[in-house]
Amino acid sequence: MRVAVVDDHPVFRMGMAGLLGSLEGISVRGQAADAAEALVLPLDEIDVILMDLNLGDDSGIETTRELVRRDPDVRVLVVTMREDDDAVAACMRVGARGYLLKGATPDEVERAVRAVANGEVILGSAVAARAVTALTSGRSAVRVPFPDLTEREREVLDLVARGHDNVTISRRLVLSPKTVRNVVSNVLTKLAVRDRSAAIVRAREEGLGLD
């Protein structure tokens, strides 16, 4: 089984590569620290890619989407610190085959990698427990992303995440360009991000702009 590890933290990335390389029947064929490096991995030589969600200024969700677009047979196992339902759903929507938390044990990592390689879809124990609780409690598992935003701010952010500029957004929502600028400014402030690009990364990680 051939694997690659994509993570912007070198200690974690090298540690995970070392763990995987020590397992019987598994060889590490590549490592990447960001989206640019991940997108030049030789997909025809890799069976499973372990993917972090936060790659510095890049999004692991968008990187996964592009890898799956390039090779629908690529199997991505997300390994992240994030355990919220929206992140899980967003990853599955773009084609990830599994979702594992970074607190997983070596045995859990091995089981997940082998399961994904065999074509299974797998959730780590903590994530699966949350999903079962949501289903058996009768509550909807869907959570509104960015609850601190107003409905209008969330609507504008969704369009920003789809790549639309302010003029296009103003036309689609029948708002003045000035109003759109003000809304975007409010969104950046509430999300505590420095610019539009960072807001897009955050929005797509939460599932906005992906349909």
Side-chain angles (χ1 to χ4, degrees):
M1 186 193 313
R2 304 162 301 177
V3 302
V5 182
V6 181
D7 196 293
D8 67 334
H9 290 91
V11 173
F12 181 86
R13 185 176 68 250
M14 290 186 290
M16 179 62 76
L19 168 64
L20 294 170
S22 71
L23 301 175
E24 183 178 356
I26 297 180
S27 64
V28 178
R29 295 297 179 89
Q31 297 184 39
D34 53 31
E37 293 181 4
L39 295 176
V40 296
L41 289 170
L43 298 183
D44 59 334
E45 300 177 9
I46 295 171
D47 300 307
V48 178
I49 297 176
L50 284 76
M51 176 72 66
D52 189 15
L53 287 189
N54 298 311
L55 302 174
D57 291 332
D58 300 320
S59 165
I61 292 176
E62 284 303 299
T63 305
T64 297
R65 177 201 288 277
E66 180 59 21
L67 288 170
V68 173
R69 186 193 69 79
R70 295 183 180 190
D71 183 357
D73 293 327
V74 68
R75 293 166 181 174
V76 177
L77 170 62
V78 172
V79 184
T80 178
M81 294 294 294
R82 296 186 54 186
E83 56 182 305
D84 57 282
D85 299 334
D86 288 337
V88 177
C91 289
M92 295 305 167
R93 280 199 298 268
V94 299
R97 303 289 185 91
Y99 197 101
L100 194 65
L101 297 182
K102 286 189 173 180
T105 66
D107 285 344
E108 288 175 323
V109 172
E110 180 178 5
R111 284 198 299 270
V113 170
R114 295 191 187 281
V116 169
N118 288 330
E120 301 174 37
V121 174
I122 188 167
L123 300 178
S125 57
V127 176
R130 287 166 56 87
V132 170
T133 298
L135 289 172
T136 57
S137 68
R139 298 195 310 271
S140 170
V142 177
R143 179 174 61 84
V144 176
F146 305 114
D148 291 340
L149 300 184
T150 66
E151 184 176 350
R152 174 65 77 191
E153 289 169 344
R154 199 175 298 112
E155 186 176 26
V156 169
L157 179 58
D158 180 68
L159 292 173
V160 168
R162 293 173 189 273
H164 298 305
D165 59 22
N166 287 356
V167 173
T168 302
I169 294 172
S170 68
R171 289 172 180 166
R172 292 192 61 163
L173 300 182
V174 195
L175 298 171
S176 71
K178 180 179 179 181
T179 296
V180 173
R181 285 197 303 273
N182 289 339
V183 172
V184 171
S185 177
N186 290 340
V187 169
L188 296 182
T189 299
K190 288 185 178 182
L191 297 186
V193 294
R194 64 186 182 279
D195 55 29
R196 197 181 187 96
S197 296
I200 290 174
V201 171
R202 286 286 309 280
R204 290 178 177 175
E205 288 174 350
E206 295 294 334
L208 295 181
L210 297 177
D211 295 336

